[in-house]
Amino acid sequence: MSAILEIADVSRSFGGVQAVQKVSVDIPRGEIMSIIGPNGAGKTTVLNMISGFYHPDHGRILLEGTDITHLAPSEIAKLRVARTFQNIALFSGMTVLDNLMLGRHVLMKSGVLSSFIYWGLAQREEVAHRKRVEDLIDFLKIQDLRRRPTGSLAYGLRKRVELGRALALDPKILLLDEPMGGMNQEEKEDMARFILDVNEEWGTTIILIEHDMGVVMDISDRVAVLDMGLKIAEGKPDEVRVNPAVVKAYLGETKTSEVRHG
Amino acid sequence: MIYREAGQFKTTYAADQAIFPILQDRIFVALAVVGAFVIPVRFANEYWLQAVLIPFLIYALAALGLNLLTGYAGQLSLGTGGFMAVGAYSAFKLASAFPALNIVLVFLLSGLVAALVGVVFGIPSLRIKGFYLAVATLAAQFFLIWLFNKVGWFVNYAPSGTITAPPRTVFGVMVTGPDAAAGARYVAALAFVAVFALIAKNLVRGRVGRSWMAIRDRDIAAEIIGVRPLRTKLLAFAISSFYCGIAGAELVFLYLGSAETLAFDINLSFLVLFMVIIGGLGSVLGSFLGAAFIVLVPIFLTNVPHTVGLNLPVALAKQIELMIFGGLILFFLIVEPHGLARLWQITKEKLRLWPFPH
């Protein structure tokens, strides 16, 4: 299978800290790829480099063969790369519906003048995109929350709305930064189901950062492991699980043969 | 409200996204707009039109402009007075350079000039935020006023340094200049504010308004979904200044008749900002409520002692008026920090459930 995203030899340092060192990962199209590693391993930095917040000091990132290494976040959004944040970044003053409509911002065209008039061009566009957003609202089962300001929602629901906003972009690649962080078991299962459904239904490639090893091992097609900014392992979940370098990174120097299920 | 939306089901998204989804609201607003055009002109006296209604409409337009920038796009600005001055002086220059130009066009063009100036002074907003941006916009305020004071060209080298509204007609009716009737000036101001309130509403319910609110609420997340920060902020500055520019032109042409830079000093910036804060940030209705509060309450307070037969010395009455006014502002901000518009919304929701608490 061809890679939709190639991360080639990227490095990034902040001051004296080497956050990511010469990491290369190919993400196959249509797969769920997890990036795991202990705290401070550089996982979020990798995600931030893909979505354009940081640019690598060295190395390149190719999306379907096009170099996106130095594009701004908004330009990368145009290429249909969507993401969620570790500590939810919804627009808290706006309704769920508006948040999801914003997810489609780059797919919409109406400018200032057509917005002045609204009736006609802008309205047709609003309605067309609203349809897709309503599909997502149904998919995520948040119909009753449409008009609620996202600031007033419970934590788990906000995570779900944020997933919805990312999905509203009709993404080719979905970057999820700890989508299950801080959730209880039931919410985790729901979220895992949504992630699998997105992957199956729309064939969306998903890059996932997650600390819950149980979930990671269950839903990932491939897993890459980072430690101290270096990639120490990559492969199928079962291979990674027994990889001695991974075990060492997680548990320290011991004779344990398996990563403890978390 | 005394009516509820029971039984009004929407079958299209277009109907669901209407400005007033409830039928009764539409009827009420339509009646209010028609009433606003007809009733004051026929029944209000010169004093009410000139001292109350015309300034209210003009301030409402300015507050609307600032609300787009500060309430919707989240960019704090203290340059409103400066941008209004740009509108006023542009209108004066345009009207005297092209006497044949229709006054409506003059207003719109001066709005465009103010928009350009607004964009220039909006550039720092990419780097600075919040209070620091407010201080940066002070530069606009002071620089622009200084410019209009120093450069004689802006006042056609009038030794007095004032600009005056030349007589101009629309559809054969005199709307500006010393001979324009208060009724005609009122209708002109109302027409502008009605059209621009509608445009503002259209802007904020669509793609442009959403991108502004995204920048306001979480600029990093806005960028990740593809909103370009600089472009979006500058657009907000442009449109806001466009509104303020027209309001500034109206202030001289429809209200004061003639003015110096003093009319556009920092106090005006604060006044409009207070209107926006008291009325409600991020609300079109709030801009009107805030302008009404700031314009009407002092007038009301001035007249109250008179009507109840209390003959206070003028100076004392003025002091008491200021104290009560300040007190009221504090009271409303404590009761509802999100402004009068939010208070109105809460009232509606409460009445909707009435007589049940939940």
mmCIF file of all heavy atoms in Angstrom, chain A residues 151-177:
data_model
loop_
_atom_site.group_PDB
_atom_site.id
_atom_site.type_symbol
_atom_site.label_atom_id
_atom_site.label_comp_id
_atom_site.label_asym_id
_atom_site.label_seq_id
_atom_site.Cartn_x
_atom_site.Cartn_y
_atom_site.Cartn_z
ATOM 1 N N GLY A 151 -19.048 25.655 25.198
ATOM 2 C CA GLY A 151 -18.490 25.887 26.526
ATOM 3 C C GLY A 151 -19.317 25.256 27.629
ATOM 4 O O GLY A 151 -18.820 24.996 28.723
ATOM 5 N N SER A 152 -20.593 25.000 27.361
ATOM 6 C CA SER A 152 -21.476 24.473 28.404
ATOM 7 C C SER A 152 -21.558 22.944 28.386
ATOM 8 O O SER A 152 -22.295 22.361 29.170
ATOM 9 C CB SER A 152 -22.878 25.056 28.238
ATOM 10 O OG SER A 152 -23.515 24.476 27.113
ATOM 11 N N LEU A 153 -20.819 22.303 27.496
ATOM 12 C CA LEU A 153 -20.931 20.843 27.382
ATOM 13 C C LEU A 153 -19.992 20.125 28.352
ATOM 14 O O LEU A 153 -18.981 20.671 28.777
ATOM 15 C CB LEU A 153 -20.589 20.397 25.961
ATOM 16 C CG LEU A 153 -21.490 20.914 24.853
ATOM 17 C CD1 LEU A 153 -20.983 20.412 23.516
ATOM 18 C CD2 LEU A 153 -22.927 20.480 25.063
ATOM 19 N N ALA A 154 -20.353 18.882 28.663
ATOM 20 C CA ALA A 154 -19.489 18.053 29.494
ATOM 21 C C ALA A 154 -18.229 17.683 28.706
ATOM 22 O O ALA A 154 -18.218 17.711 27.478
ATOM 23 C CB ALA A 154 -20.225 16.800 29.922
ATOM 24 N N TYR A 155 -17.200 17.306 29.439
ATOM 25 C CA TYR A 155 -15.885 17.065 28.848
ATOM 26 C C TYR A 155 -15.930 16.054 27.685
ATOM 27 O O TYR A 155 -15.429 16.315 26.597
ATOM 28 C CB TYR A 155 -14.939 16.586 29.941
ATOM 29 C CG TYR A 155 -13.543 16.321 29.480
ATOM 30 C CD1 TYR A 155 -12.650 17.360 29.317
ATOM 31 C CD2 TYR A 155 -13.130 15.030 29.204
ATOM 32 C CE1 TYR A 155 -11.367 17.126 28.898
ATOM 33 C CE2 TYR A 155 -11.840 14.790 28.776
ATOM 34 C CZ TYR A 155 -10.961 15.830 28.625
ATOM 35 O OH TYR A 155 -9.700 15.592 28.194
ATOM 36 N N GLY A 156 -16.541 14.917 27.947
ATOM 37 C CA GLY A 156 -16.572 13.868 26.934
ATOM 38 C C GLY A 156 -17.283 14.318 25.669
ATOM 39 O O GLY A 156 -16.872 13.983 24.556
ATOM 40 N N LEU A 157 -18.342 15.091 25.855
ATOM 41 C CA LEU A 157 -19.088 15.573 24.691
ATOM 42 C C LEU A 157 -18.287 16.591 23.906
ATOM 43 O O LEU A 157 -18.329 16.629 22.676
ATOM 44 C CB LEU A 157 -20.408 16.197 25.139
ATOM 45 C CG LEU A 157 -21.462 15.188 25.596
ATOM 46 C CD1 LEU A 157 -22.669 15.901 26.186
ATOM 47 C CD2 LEU A 157 -21.883 14.297 24.438
ATOM 48 N N ARG A 158 -17.522 17.395 24.640
ATOM 49 C CA ARG A 158 -16.697 18.378 23.934
ATOM 50 C C ARG A 158 -15.666 17.678 23.059
ATOM 51 O O ARG A 158 -15.397 18.090 21.940
ATOM 52 C CB ARG A 158 -16.004 19.310 24.928
ATOM 53 C CG ARG A 158 -16.891 20.478 25.329
ATOM 54 C CD ARG A 158 -16.129 21.476 26.144
ATOM 55 N NE ARG A 158 -16.139 21.105 27.546
ATOM 56 C CZ ARG A 158 -15.288 21.584 28.438
ATOM 57 N NH1 ARG A 158 -14.357 22.425 28.074
ATOM 58 N NH2 ARG A 158 -15.364 21.204 29.684
ATOM 59 N N LYS A 159 -15.101 16.584 23.591
ATOM 60 C CA LYS A 159 -14.155 15.807 22.786
ATOM 61 C C LYS A 159 -14.844 15.300 21.521
ATOM 62 O O LYS A 159 -14.265 15.275 20.436
ATOM 63 C CB LYS A 159 -13.648 14.609 23.605
ATOM 64 C CG LYS A 159 -12.601 14.987 24.634
ATOM 65 C CD LYS A 159 -11.215 14.754 24.067
ATOM 66 C CE LYS A 159 -10.131 15.021 25.078
ATOM 67 N NZ LYS A 159 -8.816 15.213 24.480
ATOM 68 N N ARG A 160 -16.097 14.897 21.680
ATOM 69 C CA ARG A 160 -16.827 14.354 20.538
ATOM 70 C C ARG A 160 -17.116 15.450 19.516
ATOM 71 O O ARG A 160 -16.993 15.236 18.310
ATOM 72 C CB ARG A 160 -18.139 13.736 21.028
ATOM 73 C CG ARG A 160 -18.694 12.756 20.048
ATOM 74 C CD ARG A 160 -20.045 12.268 20.456
ATOM 75 N NE ARG A 160 -20.023 11.415 21.645
ATOM 76 C CZ ARG A 160 -21.119 10.812 22.108
ATOM 77 N NH1 ARG A 160 -22.263 10.958 21.490
ATOM 78 N NH2 ARG A 160 -21.046 10.061 23.175
ATOM 79 N N VAL A 161 -17.502 16.633 20.018
ATOM 80 C CA VAL A 161 -17.762 17.750 19.103
ATOM 81 C C VAL A 161 -16.482 18.146 18.377
ATOM 82 O O VAL A 161 -16.495 18.455 17.183
ATOM 83 C CB VAL A 161 -18.347 18.964 19.861
ATOM 84 C CG1 VAL A 161 -18.470 20.167 18.946
ATOM 85 C CG2 VAL A 161 -19.690 18.616 20.465
ATOM 86 N N GLU A 162 -15.365 18.083 19.091
ATOM 87 C CA GLU A 162 -14.113 18.448 18.442
ATOM 88 C C GLU A 162 -13.767 17.454 17.332
ATOM 89 O O GLU A 162 -13.283 17.844 16.272
ATOM 90 C CB GLU A 162 -12.971 18.539 19.458
ATOM 91 C CG GLU A 162 -11.853 19.402 18.936
ATOM 92 C CD GLU A 162 -10.606 19.358 19.797
ATOM 93 O OE1 GLU A 162 -10.475 18.427 20.606
ATOM 94 O OE2 GLU A 162 -9.759 20.247 19.635
ATOM 95 N N LEU A 163 -14.064 16.183 17.579
ATOM 96 C CA LEU A 163 -13.894 15.197 16.514
ATOM 97 C C LEU A 163 -14.788 15.557 15.341
ATOM 98 O O LEU A 163 -14.374 15.490 14.179
ATOM 99 C CB LEU A 163 -14.231 13.791 17.045
ATOM 100 C CG LEU A 163 -14.208 12.676 16.008
ATOM 101 C CD1 LEU A 163 -12.798 12.448 15.489
ATOM 102 C CD2 LEU A 163 -14.754 11.368 16.589
ATOM 103 N N GLY A 164 -16.027 15.971 15.656
ATOM 104 C CA GLY A 164 -16.963 16.362 14.610
ATOM 105 C C GLY A 164 -16.445 17.524 13.790
ATOM 106 O O GLY A 164 -16.536 17.521 12.565
ATOM 107 N N ARG A 165 -15.855 18.501 14.473
ATOM 108 C CA ARG A 165 -15.340 19.663 13.743
ATOM 109 C C ARG A 165 -14.215 19.241 12.801
ATOM 110 O O ARG A 165 -14.127 19.728 11.673
ATOM 111 C CB ARG A 165 -14.825 20.713 14.721
ATOM 112 C CG ARG A 165 -14.403 21.993 14.023
ATOM 113 C CD ARG A 165 -13.877 23.012 14.983
ATOM 114 N NE ARG A 165 -12.620 22.593 15.571
ATOM 115 C CZ ARG A 165 -12.047 23.186 16.613
ATOM 116 N NH1 ARG A 165 -12.657 24.210 17.184
ATOM 117 N NH2 ARG A 165 -10.918 22.747 17.090
ATOM 118 N N ALA A 166 -13.364 18.328 13.270
ATOM 119 C CA ALA A 166 -12.283 17.841 12.404
ATOM 120 C C ALA A 166 -12.864 17.058 11.224
ATOM 121 O O ALA A 166 -12.428 17.214 10.090
ATOM 122 C CB ALA A 166 -11.314 16.979 13.204
ATOM 123 N N LEU A 167 -13.892 16.247 11.488
ATOM 124 C CA LEU A 167 -14.489 15.450 10.414
ATOM 125 C C LEU A 167 -15.190 16.328 9.387
ATOM 126 O O LEU A 167 -15.332 15.949 8.224
ATOM 127 C CB LEU A 167 -15.490 14.456 10.993
ATOM 128 C CG LEU A 167 -14.892 13.298 11.773
ATOM 129 C CD1 LEU A 167 -15.993 12.451 12.382
ATOM 130 C CD2 LEU A 167 -14.011 12.445 10.862
ATOM 131 N N ALA A 168 -15.670 17.496 9.831
ATOM 132 C CA ALA A 168 -16.398 18.378 8.930
ATOM 133 C C ALA A 168 -15.548 18.821 7.748
ATOM 134 O O ALA A 168 -16.068 19.221 6.718
ATOM 135 C CB ALA A 168 -16.912 19.600 9.689
ATOM 136 N N LEU A 169 -14.246 18.720 7.898
ATOM 137 C CA LEU A 169 -13.347 19.088 6.799
ATOM 138 C C LEU A 169 -13.341 18.017 5.700
ATOM 139 O O LEU A 169 -12.747 18.210 4.654
ATOM 140 C CB LEU A 169 -11.936 19.296 7.368
ATOM 141 C CG LEU A 169 -10.824 19.801 6.472
ATOM 142 C CD1 LEU A 169 -11.123 21.193 5.950
ATOM 143 C CD2 LEU A 169 -9.498 19.818 7.216
ATOM 144 N N ASP A 170 -14.023 16.904 5.918
ATOM 145 C CA ASP A 170 -13.904 15.735 5.037
ATOM 146 C C ASP A 170 -12.438 15.383 4.860
ATOM 147 O O ASP A 170 -11.914 15.363 3.735
ATOM 148 C CB ASP A 170 -14.536 15.992 3.667
ATOM 149 C CG ASP A 170 -16.034 16.165 3.766
ATOM 150 O OD1 ASP A 170 -16.624 15.648 4.730
ATOM 151 O OD2 ASP A 170 -16.618 16.820 2.882
ATOM 152 N N PRO A 171 -11.749 15.110 5.971
ATOM 153 C CA PRO A 171 -10.287 15.034 5.900
ATOM 154 C C PRO A 171 -9.781 13.784 5.179
ATOM 155 O O PRO A 171 -10.414 12.736 5.215
ATOM 156 C CB PRO A 171 -9.870 14.991 7.373
ATOM 157 C CG PRO A 171 -11.039 14.422 8.087
ATOM 158 C CD PRO A 171 -12.255 14.845 7.321
ATOM 159 N N LYS A 172 -8.632 13.946 4.535
ATOM 160 C CA LYS A 172 -7.900 12.792 4.009
ATOM 161 C C LYS A 172 -7.139 12.156 5.153
ATOM 162 O O LYS A 172 -6.999 10.948 5.225
ATOM 163 C CB LYS A 172 -6.885 13.241 2.970
ATOM 164 C CG LYS A 172 -7.469 13.612 1.644
ATOM 165 C CD LYS A 172 -6.332 14.095 0.755
ATOM 166 C CE LYS A 172 -6.885 14.633 -0.548
ATOM 167 N NZ LYS A 172 -5.911 15.501 -1.204
ATOM 168 N N ILE A 173 -6.593 13.029 6.004
ATOM 169 C CA ILE A 173 -5.856 12.550 7.162
ATOM 170 C C ILE A 173 -6.421 13.225 8.401
ATOM 171 O O ILE A 173 -6.649 14.436 8.417
ATOM 172 C CB ILE A 173 -4.352 12.887 7.056
ATOM 173 C CG1 ILE A 173 -3.763 12.244 5.809
ATOM 174 C CG2 ILE A 173 -3.610 12.419 8.295
ATOM 175 C CD1 ILE A 173 -2.284 12.478 5.669
ATOM 176 N N LEU A 174 -6.658 12.431 9.403
ATOM 177 C CA LEU A 174 -7.188 12.950 10.652
ATOM 178 C C LEU A 174 -6.140 12.748 11.735
ATOM 179 O O LEU A 174 -5.694 11.625 11.978
ATOM 180 C CB LEU A 174 -8.466 12.174 10.987
ATOM 181 C CG LEU A 174 -9.270 12.568 12.216
ATOM 182 C CD1 LEU A 174 -9.698 14.011 12.149
ATOM 183 C CD2 LEU A 174 -10.488 11.659 12.332
ATOM 184 N N LEU A 175 -5.725 13.838 12.353
ATOM 185 C CA LEU A 175 -4.725 13.750 13.413
ATOM 186 C C LEU A 175 -5.439 13.882 14.752
ATOM 187 O O LEU A 175 -6.084 14.900 15.005
ATOM 188 C CB LEU A 175 -3.695 14.878 13.275
ATOM 189 C CG LEU A 175 -3.080 15.117 11.895
ATOM 190 C CD1 LEU A 175 -2.238 16.376 11.900
ATOM 191 C CD2 LEU A 175 -2.232 13.929 11.483
ATOM 192 N N LEU A 176 -5.344 12.871 15.580
ATOM 193 C CA LEU A 176 -6.040 12.912 16.864
ATOM 194 C C LEU A 176 -5.023 12.894 17.989
ATOM 195 O O LEU A 176 -4.270 11.929 18.149
ATOM 196 C CB LEU A 176 -6.978 11.703 16.999
ATOM 197 C CG LEU A 176 -8.041 11.561 15.911
ATOM 198 C CD1 LEU A 176 -8.803 10.251 16.081
ATOM 199 C CD2 LEU A 176 -8.991 12.729 15.935
ATOM 200 N N ASP A 177 -5.022 13.977 18.767
ATOM 201 C CA ASP A 177 -4.064 14.055 19.871
ATOM 202 C C ASP A 177 -4.779 13.685 21.172
ATOM 203 O O ASP A 177 -5.537 14.479 21.708
ATOM 204 C CB ASP A 177 -3.494 15.481 19.944
ATOM 205 C CG ASP A 177 -2.234 15.541 20.794
ATOM 206 O OD1 ASP A 177 -1.944 14.549 21.492
ATOM 207 O OD2 ASP A 177 -1.548 16.579 20.759
#
